[in-house]
Structure formats: structure tokens, C-alpha cells
Amino acid sequence: MAMINGGGAGAGAVPRCAAGARAVPRARGEWARHWRYAGLPGLDLLRARYVEHSFPRHAHDGYVICVVTSGIEEVGLQDGAVRAGHGGIVMINPEVPHTARAGAPEGWTYATLYPSADLVAGIARETTALRGTAGFVRTVADEPRIGRMIAGIHGAAEAGNALAADSLLRVALAHLLSRHGGPLPPLAPRTAGARTAARARAVLEERMADPPTLEQLARELDTGPFALLRAFKSTYGMPPHTWLTDARVRRARRLLEEGRAPAETAVAVGFTDQPHLNRHFTRIVGVPPGAYRREHAAADRPDGGGTPA
């Protein structure tokens, strides 16, 4: 079990957001803002307080780096759960399946960075001697100074101060890579099961809006349903139906960023209707699709959605 620091006070207040943008109100004092600042390409940001909300098993294309500013966050990984309290840094590598939920009755408040793989790779090349794909060798660390920097990145972005935000971002990531980084392990040998899982994933990606049943998919791949389930979960850390929901939400994010309406997006990725998209999108991303679309559209404005410093 990873370290838990004592809960902080005063850090759970709803943040001041950019002009014209507000954190999404939620039940029981929950709030969240998931957005992008044009001055920080290759990065998404999330600030939130969650109490009842829990994230189902999912994965990200890029990295997840957050600082818990109050309460306790519990992150579920394949080999067990880790917990982070006030000041704890959580680091998750790309395509690592995980869950997240409150680890205490008061929930948790945090500031999160979602840097792309290209952004992290560029910083790793310039500042470390790591070979191969750089990643993090631990999930939770006690780094109060870096935690303050992560909060500072959010503050600078919200103020429209691109120079400060970019500088803090690069220093923070370089420090974390230096202290807790390492080359990500190579892909496991391509067993017959892994090859079958990869073929199944390709079918589901291609036919996302109208996927086959498990039995139909297994028949197409000349295997049995239970053998396919075992192979897929072993390779991707979740069963095919869970992976498909996550993949639909990822594709929905891209369509919403392009300006597509939530109702249109829902049908395009295979959800039955907009409420179906809303439910799964909010559970996995942490904000509703309409709020996500508005915030990311704001990033295309000349001021990048921020308030000039």
C-alpha cells in the first residue's frame, strides 16, 4: 500500500476558472473542470473534487500525473490498490488499466495533468539518459514541491500565463522523470493468446458502432468465447465489453473536440443515445460530454480559454 499523508485544509475550495468558464457543479459539493489551454499543446488539465463519483476501469493514450490537495484518492491497479493523501503525487503510464475512487468519506480533491506521450518523450530526451519509452516506475510518491508546481501549472493556465505554465510543466515533469522515471518494459512476447486478443481489438475498433457478440467474435477468430475472454483480459487488463466502452469514450472525446454535438457523437461511437453517452462519458472522463465540448472549444479561442495575466 502506498503512502497516505494527512488530509489538507482549505485546498478543497472550488477553483477560480477562466473568464466565462466554470467548474461543472455536481452533487454533494462535487465539482470538476476538464479543459485544455492553447498555451500548453499536448496537455489536458483536470481539477476536481469527488465524493461519490468513482472512475470505472479504463486507460489513457497518454500519462496521468496528479497531486491530491485534500482527502484521499484510491487507485485500483491490476496488482492491487494504492492510496494517496494530501500532497501525494499519482503517476500512471499510458494504457495502464486503473480505477479511481474516494479513499475517505470526505472524498478527494486533486489537480491533474494529462501529458501526451510525445510531450513526455521530448522532455525525457532532453533531460534524462533514459532509453526506450520513458515512464514511471512507481505509482505514488511524496513530492510536496512538485505538488505545488502542478497546482501552479493550473493557476498559470487559468490566468493565461503561458510562459509560467509551460516552464512549470517542463520542470515538474523533468523532476518526476529524474526521480521516479525508467524505461517502460518491452511488450510481452506475442503469444497465440495475445495475437488473438489483438485481432479481437482490431475488430471491435473497426465495428465499434455495431460490434459482434462475444460468441460471434470468437467464431470469427476461430477460438472459444471463454478462451477469448481470458486472452483479452490478460493482454489489455479488462474484458472486451469494458474495453469497448472505454474505446467508445476515447473516440467520443476526439469527436467532441472537433465540435460534434453530443447526440451525434453518441450515435457515431455506438451508444444508443445521448443519455447513454452521458452516463459512460461522465463516469470515465469525470465531466459530462457537453461541458467537455464547451471547454475544449474555448481552447481554440485567441485567448486559449484563459484570462490574460
Side-chain angles (χ1 to χ4, degrees):
M1 188 70 67
M3 70 193 72
I4 305 175
N5 297 320
V14 178
R16 178 183 63 82
C17 293
R22 296 185 181 277
V24 178
R26 305 172 68 90
R28 289 192 55 192
E30 293 187 345
W31 51 263
R33 186 189 185 200
H34 193 299
W35 68 299
R36 185 175 296 158
Y37 173 47
L40 296 175
L43 182 77
D44 277 21
L45 303 108
L46 169 69
R47 275 219 275 176
R49 177 175 184 256
Y50 297 120
V51 180
E52 296 181 344
H53 182 83
S54 62
F55 291 86
R57 191 161 299 278
H58 65 289
H60 298 268
D61 297 327
Y63 298 77
V64 183
I65 301 166
C66 75
V67 57
V68 177
T69 54
S70 70
I72 298 173
E73 179 186 17
E74 181 174 297
V75 179
L77 302 166
Q78 284 185 276
D79 55 355
V82 297
R83 290 155 64 89
H86 175 63
I89 306 291
V90 176
M91 298 163 285
I92 301 175
N93 293 316
E95 302 300 341
V96 172
H98 61 282
T99 62
R101 65 176 188 174
E106 69 269 24
W108 84 101
T109 306
Y110 65 161
T112 305
L113 309 174
Y114 297 101
S116 68
D118 287 343
L119 176 59
V120 172
I123 293 172
R125 282 195 302 269
E126 187 176 357
T127 63
T128 76
L130 295 175
R131 296 291 180 264
T133 302
F136 299 103
V137 298
R138 59 187 307 183
T139 304
V140 177
D142 187 10
E143 294 281 0
R145 184 171 72 91
I146 300 305
R148 291 191 293 271
M149 293 178 72
I150 292 173
I153 293 164
H154 279 261
E158 288 164 359
N161 188 338
L163 179 60
D166 193 22
S167 300
L168 289 170
L169 172 64
R170 292 176 185 279
V171 171
L173 291 182
H175 179 91
L176 291 174
L177 287 167
S178 172
R179 292 285 299 274
H180 310 293
L184 293 181
L187 294 175
R190 301 294 288 178
T191 64
R195 288 194 294 272
T196 298
R199 290 169 59 204
R201 172 174 169 160
V203 171
L204 294 175
E205 285 181 331
E206 182 180 354
R207 293 153 60 181
M208 184 175 292
D210 186 22
T213 67
L214 178 65
E215 183 177 5
Q216 290 169 340
L217 182 58
R219 191 183 309 120
E220 288 182 31
L221 300 177
D222 195 26
T223 187
F226 285 102
L228 178 57
L229 274 174
R230 289 192 297 269
F232 201 99
K233 189 170 183 180
S234 175
T235 303
Y236 298 113
M238 59 186 92
H241 68 277
T242 303
W243 180 90
L244 178 61
T245 298
D246 188 29
R248 283 172 165 168
V249 169
R250 289 200 210 188
R251 186 171 295 180
R253 289 176 64 172
R254 292 194 292 270
L255 294 177
L256 293 167
E257 290 165 12
E258 294 170 2
R260 301 272 286 272
E264 180 186 1
T265 297
V267 174
V269 302
F271 289 118
T272 54
D273 52 24
Q274 185 174 338
H276 193 199
L277 168 67
N278 289 355
R279 182 167 66 255
H280 289 293
F281 193 99
T282 302
R283 289 178 67 224
I284 290 175
V285 181
V287 297
Y292 183 90
R293 179 175 179 260
R294 287 192 299 274
E295 289 283 11
H296 285 72
D300 294 330
R301 298 201 309 260
D303 65 356
T307 303

